[in-house]
Amino acid sequence: MLSPDLKRLLHLLEWETKKKFHSNSSGSVIFAKQGKGLNFKEVRSYVYGDDTRYIDWNVTSRTGDLHVKEFYKETDNNIIIFADFSNSMTKKKRYACFQLSLFLSLFHTQNGNKINFIPFAEKPLKNNRTLKTEMDCLKCFSNLDYSSIGEETNFKAAFEYGYKVAQKHSIVYWISDFMNFSGKEKIRSKVQHWEQNAIWIEDDIDTISKPWWFKLLSIRSQESQTALTKKNTLKKDQNTVRAIFNNKIIYIHPDKKIATQLLPIFQKKL
């Protein structure tokens, strides 16, 4: 399900799972020491150095091996992933969106974080289940294909739903081509406690300079049946994304290796 290059990146980062993920003001990923919370997470095999006070004697007696209760840490983050599956997202862009969403979900769950995954188009696909484990992620994404789920991209509806289900502090990823995103500045002003990141899935038209008449015929007008008369909004969309996300933006071209392009999110502390 996960592409080979992203699997390699996930395994490369896996050794860091004993340290705790959190974010910093620059938008990159860093790791910190784990704390102890009150919400039960799972029972797992004992590892040297675990606090013996949390040994689960019932499971230990049944299996014959030491097991400990693990709890969500006080420093655990709530993660929101908004994934755009509207018509403007071509099949290869939706595939890239799917891969990025799955990778981020697996990465964060292996670091103890809880995921709210919200695919959206004209309206969000509402799912009240929080992804907490690798199995949760695989089950969720196995039920999702790369098909469009709607014509228009309604960022406002997705945002309002995410705002209802999210914890007060959340780390947020918007994965989209950000078509018709101009005018959405309220997404920044209303949620100061969200740490928002943009993953812009690009078209060739976004990166190659073309005559104005070519842009009018470009795929940036795919959501509309009146492409010839629709004013191209690429420049406005770019300015709005920069205004909202500042330096927390990375650009992904679906024809290139996603893992290589995704690396700027991570701050390596080797």
Side-chain angles (χ1 to χ4, degrees):
M1 191 183 304
L2 192 64
S3 65
D5 63 319
L6 287 174
K7 281 184 180 178
R8 287 191 293 269
L9 179 59
L10 191 64
H11 292 154
L12 179 66
L13 297 169
E14 191 172 4
W15 71 276
E16 287 284 8
T17 58
K18 291 183 180 179
K19 301 175 184 179
K20 191 73 197 78
F21 163 89
H22 67 279
S23 70
N24 62 14
S25 58
S26 66
S28 55
V29 173
I30 61 176
F31 300 89
K33 294 181 179 179
Q34 295 186 355
K36 176 71 59 183
L38 297 177
N39 295 322
F40 175 75
K41 180 180 180 182
E42 63 181 348
V43 174
R44 59 168 176 79
S45 297
Y46 175 86
V47 176
Y48 178 78
D50 284 339
D51 194 329
T52 56
R53 291 177 299 173
Y54 297 101
I55 292 176
D56 188 320
W57 293 109
N58 290 329
V59 177
T60 297
S61 63
R62 288 201 306 268
T63 63
D65 297 318
L66 281 174
H67 283 72
V68 294
K69 293 179 181 179
E70 186 171 358
F71 298 83
Y72 284 103
K73 316 302 184 296
E74 293 174 353
T75 54
D76 281 342
N77 292 290
N78 189 64
I79 310 298
I80 308 173
I81 300 174
F82 291 105
D84 182 356
F85 284 89
S86 64
N87 275 2
S88 72
M89 298 282 283
T90 60
K91 185 175 181 179
K92 64 181 180 181
K93 289 197 289 182
R94 291 195 300 270
Y95 174 77
C97 182
F98 178 95
Q99 290 291 320
L100 288 161
S101 300
L102 176 56
F103 173 84
L104 289 170
S105 297
L106 291 171
F107 171 75
H108 282 291
T109 53
Q110 79 177 12
N111 284 287
N113 299 301
K114 294 174 283 188
I115 315 297
N116 288 295
F117 175 56
I118 306 175
F120 72 97
E122 295 167 337
K123 58 183 180 180
L125 291 182
K126 298 181 179 180
N127 180 10
N128 295 325
R129 183 178 180 183
T130 301
L131 307 181
K132 300 178 181 179
T133 66
E134 178 182 351
M135 188 60 66
D136 289 342
C137 296
L138 296 177
K139 184 176 181 180
C140 172
F141 282 86
S142 67
N143 295 323
L144 181 70
D145 59 23
Y146 315 136
S147 302
S148 170
I149 60 174
E151 294 184 3
E152 301 291 332
T153 309
N154 193 334
F155 293 98
K156 181 181 178 182
F159 162 75
E160 289 177 346
Y161 175 68
Y163 188 70
K164 289 179 181 178
V165 302
Q167 296 178 2
K168 184 175 181 180
H169 176 269
S170 298
I171 296 168
V172 180
Y173 299 95
W174 291 87
I175 307 174
S176 176
D177 60 0
F178 293 96
M179 182 173 170
N180 296 326
F181 192 68
S182 58
K184 305 300 187 297
E185 288 80 358
K186 288 184 179 180
I187 289 177
R188 176 183 62 179
S189 61
K190 190 173 180 179
V191 283
Q192 298 292 341
H193 53 271
W194 278 9
E195 296 183 34
Q196 301 198 82
N197 303 272
I199 301 179
W200 186 312
I201 302 185
E202 296 181 304
D203 298 310
D204 290 332
I205 194 66
D206 296 335
T207 57
I208 301 175
S209 178
K210 297 288 185 181
W212 66 270
W213 53 266
F214 184 89
K215 292 184 178 181
L216 285 176
L217 298 173
S218 75
I219 55 179
R220 291 205 56 84
S221 296
Q222 284 183 2
E223 287 187 356
S224 173
Q225 298 300 317
T226 58
L228 290 175
T229 58
K230 182 178 176 67
K231 183 179 179 180
N232 184 270
T233 63
L234 174 59
K235 193 67 176 178
K236 290 182 179 179
D237 294 339
Q238 289 174 331
N239 290 338
T240 303
V241 169
R242 293 189 189 104
I244 292 176
F245 299 101
N246 298 317
N247 63 328
K248 300 179 182 180
I249 310 169
I250 65 167
Y251 299 89
I252 300 292
H253 197 291
D255 290 332
K256 300 177 182 178
K257 283 190 175 182
I258 296 176
T260 304
Q261 302 173 82
L262 193 60
L263 281 174
I265 284 186
F266 301 97
Q267 178 188 37
K268 295 181 180 178
K269 303 193 74 176
L270 305 179

